[in-house]
Amino acid sequence: METCSSFVTFLVGDQYSFIFCLPSKVYYSLSNINFASPPTLPQEDMLTLPFDKPPSNQTSSPFKTSWATNQLVKSVKPEPGRALEESEREDEERDGEEEEEEEEVQEQSGGLTTRGSYKKKPNHARLDRVRLRRIEANARERNRMHGLNNALDSLRKVVPCYSKTQKLSKIETLRLAKNYIWTLSEILRTGKRPDLLTFVQTLCKGLSQPTTNLVASCLQLNGRSFMSEPGGESFSLYPAYHHHHGPEVVGSSTADSGRPLRPFGSFSGPYEALYDSPSPDCSSSLDSGALSPPLNFNGIFSLKHEEPVGYRSCHYGLRYCSISQRSSADLGPYDIHLRGQFYPVQDKLNKPFHN
DNA sequence: TAGGCCATCTGGTCCT
DNA sequence: AGGACCAGATGGCCTA
């Protein structure tokens, strides 16, 4: 028996219309059904639903009910149908009646009615509206979270380590992205390409062991080589996690899509990647599955404060923000303050785009 | 089986 | 009033 995930009834007179969803299908009836008798639905729509006891809203796996609930909301909202409108009218009428009733009760008791001594009749239509609003709010919340997840997916694609088969977790994606941004800003600030070891170490700060190994595979490094690094950080790269668990890493020799190695695998400096990147305004670069992180300096580093008009309008203009006056040695990737500032390297980076 | 991660529900708060 | 946002709770799935 499938479990009902959402159930809404609409009171129309002394009968109910109902709408509810199962993991596999949405059922609704805008014709009135007397709950005292079993529903007579077409065989294909027949349900083993205990009508004497309306099912709970939370009795089934939420994962499987997303579509169904959305369908439910669609079914109810744009075409609420007669039942809803009528129930609302009824509701208003009943509200009026109830108020009158209440006044009557108070009059009869000589105004001695104490708060709470009068029990309102259950107003089904009102409850239905509350339930419906809750269902709609749930749907909005789901969509909102889906949007957030889509954004995270986009972020996964532009951080140095992207695997379709072993996605980075949300938190790891954010951490890696933060480290990546910090690393790139350092590259711009110093104008020097870091050695691979430093690059990876910075990138992996604060990441979990599996993610660290994933990054290592992305960069085609042997994790062991980091473990004996003198004066190394507390983190280390652990060996060959991916050999056993087989994350198909874009950029590794087992790249899932046969796409070319990402520039970071043979890290050749930021400039190459920059020159290869498409126009920052070309949003399709993400959708088209571009593998090189689009070093969108306008997008990544631009802050909310003032921005030179010339650069704002130039797709390829490099807006360079760097670490503020503090020494970079003081700064870990967890304490970063970017400030809009131009450095000579910016001219170098911009040169090809200002012909 | 415990722990991590995730999707969803839910009620509260803030904003328009 | 209604929507966006947020955080806590809950339960499912997966892996070590």
Side-chain angles (χ1 to χ4, degrees):
Chain A
M1 183 202 296
E2 286 187 281
T3 312
C4 181
S5 64
S6 297
F7 187 94
V8 180
T9 62
F10 307 102
L11 180 64
V12 182
D14 57 349
Q15 292 184 312
Y16 293 91
S17 291
F18 68 93
I19 181 166
F20 61 92
C21 57
L22 302 179
S24 60
K25 199 168 183 179
V26 173
Y27 296 88
Y28 60 93
S29 167
L30 295 181
S31 61
N32 297 340
I33 287 182
N34 188 338
F35 271 42
S37 58
T40 53
L41 296 174
Q43 190 57 38
E44 59 175 349
D45 288 334
M46 277 302 287
L47 303 164
T48 53
L49 193 68
F51 274 82
D52 57 334
K53 193 174 64 175
S56 157
N57 279 348
Q58 299 178 45
T59 48
S60 71
S61 164
F63 299 119
K64 299 186 179 76
T65 60
S66 173
W67 176 85
T69 310
N70 274 323
Q71 296 301 307
L72 169 65
V73 172
K74 279 182 203 164
S75 303
V76 171
K77 195 173 183 179
E79 186 67 28
R82 217 167 29 83
L84 257 190
E85 290 170 12
E86 285 183 13
S87 75
E88 296 220 352
R89 276 200 299 277
E90 289 255 340
D91 181 35
E92 287 169 12
E93 288 168 13
R94 291 173 69 87
D95 282 350
E97 287 170 14
E98 282 173 6
E99 282 169 18
E100 286 170 16
E101 271 181 48
E102 189 167 5
E103 284 170 15
E104 215 170 290
V105 169
Q106 287 181 348
E107 269 179 27
Q108 285 171 0
S109 62
L112 295 178
T113 314
T114 56
R115 193 175 271 272
S117 66
Y118 170 76
K119 270 198 170 179
K120 265 197 169 183
K121 286 181 184 176
N123 188 328
H124 294 283
R126 185 190 298 275
L127 292 176
D128 292 343
R129 284 209 306 276
V130 170
R131 280 193 212 112
L132 179 59
R133 275 207 301 273
R134 189 62 259 173
I135 290 173
E136 288 176 330
N138 289 346
R140 282 194 303 272
E141 177 66 8
R142 268 198 307 276
N143 290 334
R144 195 182 69 84
M145 295 309 295
H146 290 166
L148 186 62
N149 289 338
N150 288 341
L152 265 169
D153 280 338
S154 298
L155 187 60
R156 284 190 184 99
K157 290 175 185 171
V158 298
V159 292
C161 190
Y162 175 57
S163 166
K164 277 184 180 175
T165 53
Q166 188 188 335
K167 286 202 319 187
L168 290 179
S169 70
K170 293 178 175 180
I171 185 68
E172 294 290 87
T173 301
L174 292 175
R175 285 180 180 140
L176 181 57
K178 180 189 65 181
N179 291 348
Y180 184 44
I181 291 170
W182 187 86
T183 303
L184 292 179
S185 65
E186 273 298 281
I187 290 170
L188 284 176
R189 190 184 67 81
T190 61
K192 295 175 187 170
R193 70 168 72 168
D195 62 273
L196 186 54
L197 178 63
T198 307
F199 179 68
V200 176
Q201 282 181 335
T202 310
L203 221 49
C204 293
K205 273 185 181 175
L207 299 185
S208 69
Q209 173 183 333
T211 307
T212 297
N213 283 302
L214 192 59
V215 173
S217 0
C218 276
L219 303 180
Q220 292 187 322
L221 297 176
N222 180 353
R224 290 178 195 276
S225 65
F226 291 92
M227 298 184 74
S228 57
E229 183 62 20
E233 314 258 353
S234 57
F235 94 102
S236 62
L237 293 172
Y238 297 83
Y241 172 83
H242 64 286
H243 290 326
H244 295 295
H245 302 278
E248 294 179 7
V249 175
V250 173
S252 74
S253 56
T254 58
D256 49 356
S257 58
R259 287 163 170 162
L261 186 67
R262 296 183 66 155
F264 303 94
S266 52
F267 186 62
S268 54
Y271 312 136
E272 179 181 318
L274 173 67
Y275 294 156
D276 287 341
S277 68
S279 164
D281 278 3
C282 180
S283 58
S284 63
S285 65
L286 299 186
D287 299 332
S288 64
L291 290 176
S292 287
L295 295 184
N296 177 352
F297 293 91
N298 275 326
I300 292 179
F301 292 122
S302 69
L303 303 177
K304 283 188 174 180
H305 60 66
E306 77 291 341
E307 194 172 14
V309 176
Y311 285 100
R312 193 181 301 145
S313 59
C314 175
H315 287 183
Y316 292 93
L318 185 62
R319 182 80 173 95
Y320 178 54
C321 301
S322 85
I323 310 302
S324 59
Q325 281 79 354
R326 293 172 60 185
S327 157
S328 64
D330 302 335
L331 293 169
Y334 307 104
D335 182 12
I336 176 171
H337 300 280
L338 296 178
R339 179 174 296 177
Q341 203 169 347
F342 289 89
Y343 282 79
V345 66
Q346 181 192 350
D347 292 329
K348 187 178 175 181
L349 290 168
N350 273 334
K351 204 172 181 179
F353 306 116
H354 289 276
N355 295 327

